[in-house]
C-alpha cells in the first residue's frame, strides 16, 4: 500500500502536467496546474510553476496578437475607406479630379508608412533583424535628429533645446537607434503646445547613457503610462495630432533589443518625460 501511494504521489504531478499540456494545446489558455498540486515543495512543484508561467505568457502573447490584429484592421480600414470615397467622388465630380487625386496620394502615403511601421515592429518583436553591432555616437545621433525635428517644430513655433555630454558611445545598430530616438522626439514635438519647448538631454552615469526627452504637453493619465508603449494607443482622440501609436512601440522594442530600458513619467510642471537608458561601450551579438 505504501509503495502504491508513493508511486501515485510521484507520478500525479507528471500526469497533471501532461493533461495540462493537452488542454493548453487544445486552446484552453486559462489552464493552470499549481492549484491542483497542493502544498508540494519539490522539483515537480517547481516544474508545475514553470508550466503555469509558460501558459500565462502564451496566453498574453496570443491576446496581444489578437488585439494587434484588430487594431491593424481598424487602422487600415480608415484610409482605405477614404481612398474609396475619393475614387467615387472623382467619378461623380470630374471637376474635382486633381483635388481628389491629391487626397488619394495622401492616404496612400499613410498606408505605406503604416505598413512600414508594422513590418519594423514585427521584425523587432521576433528579434529577426540581424545586424553587426557598431560604435554609435549618441551625441551626433541626437544632433542629427534634433536638426530634422526643429524643421518640423518651426511650423508650430516649438523650440528644441539639446544638452549632450561628450563621448557618449554605445554598441548597436545606428539605424534602429536613430528610429527609436527620432520617434520619441517627434512625439514630444507633436504633443507640445504652440510656442512650447522640447528638451533633449544625454549624459553618462555608472556605465550607462541616460537620455531624457521632455515636452510641455498635457501628459497622459498616470495609470496609463505603461500602456504608452503599446501599439495604437491614443489617450486624446480629439487632439489635433494622431496620438502615441506605433512610434513608441517601435522605440521600446529597439531599445530593449539594445539591452536598454525606456520609460515615461508625467512632469510636475506639466508635460511628459521619456527616459532612455543604454549600455555604454557594451558589445553585443545580433
Amino acid at each position: 500500500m505504501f509503495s502504491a501511494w508513493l508511486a501515485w504521489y510521484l507520478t500525479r504531478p507528471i500526469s497533471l502536467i501532461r493533461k495540462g499540456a493537452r488542454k493548453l494545446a487544445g486552446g484552453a489558455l486559462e489552464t493552470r496546474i499549481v492549484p491542483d498540486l497542493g502544498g508540494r515543495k519539490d522539483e515537480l512543484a517547481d516544474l508545475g510553476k514553470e508550466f503555469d508561467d509558460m501558459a500565462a505568457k502564451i496566453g498574453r502573447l496570443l491576446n496581444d496578437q489578437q488585439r494587434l490584429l484588430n487594431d491593424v484592421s481598424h487602422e487600415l480600414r480608415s484610409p482605405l475607406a477614404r481612398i474609396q470615397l475619393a475614387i467615387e467622388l472623382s467619378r461623380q465630380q470630374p471637376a474635382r479630379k486633381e483635388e481628389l487625386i491629391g487626397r488619394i496620394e495622401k492616404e496612400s502615403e499613410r498606408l505605406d508608412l503604416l505598413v512600414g511601421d508594422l513590418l519594423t515592429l514585427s521584425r523587432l518583436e521576433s528579434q529577426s533583424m540581424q545586424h553587426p553591432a557598431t560604435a554609435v555616437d549618441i551625441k551626433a545621433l541626437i544632433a542629427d535628429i534634433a536638426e530634422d525635428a526643429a524643421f518640423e517644430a518651426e511650423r508650430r513655433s516649438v523650440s528644441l533645446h539639446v544638452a549632450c555630454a561628450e563621448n557618449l558611445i554605445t554598441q548597436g545598430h545606428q539605424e534602429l537607434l536613430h528610429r527609436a530616438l527620432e520617434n520619441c522626439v517627434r512625439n514630444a514635438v507633436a504633443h507640445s503646445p504652440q510656442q512650447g519647448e522640447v528638451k533633449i538631454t544625454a549624459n553618462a552615469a555608472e556605465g550607462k547613457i541616460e537620455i531624457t526627452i521632455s515636452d510641455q504637453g498635457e501628459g497622459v493619465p498616470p495609470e496609463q503610462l505603461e500602456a504608452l508603449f503599446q501599439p495604437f494607443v491614443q489617450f486624446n482622440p480629439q487632439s489635433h495630432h494622431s496620438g502615441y501609436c506605433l512610434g513608441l512601440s517601435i522605440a521600446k522594442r529597439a531599445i530593449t533589443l539594445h539591452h536598454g530600458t525606456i520609460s515615461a513619467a508625467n512632469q510636475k510642471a506639466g508635460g511628459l518625460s521619456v527616459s532612455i537608458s543604454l549600455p555604454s561601450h557594451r558589445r553585443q551579438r545580433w
Side-chain angles (χ1 to χ4, degrees), residues 66-80 111 114 118 232:
Q66 184 61 47
R67 182 176 58 81
L68 180 60
L69 182 61
N70 292 336
D71 289 340
V72 169
S73 300
H74 174 75
E75 293 294 326
L76 289 174
R77 188 178 294 115
S78 297
L80 285 173
L111 281 173
L114 177 59
L118 287 171
F232 302 113

Side-chain angles (χ1 to χ4, degrees), residues 47-64:
L47 181 60
K49 186 177 183 303
E50 292 293 335
F51 176 91
D52 284 359
D53 291 342
M54 177 193 69
K57 185 174 183 180
I58 290 174
R60 286 194 300 270
L61 288 173
L62 289 177
N63 288 333
D64 289 346

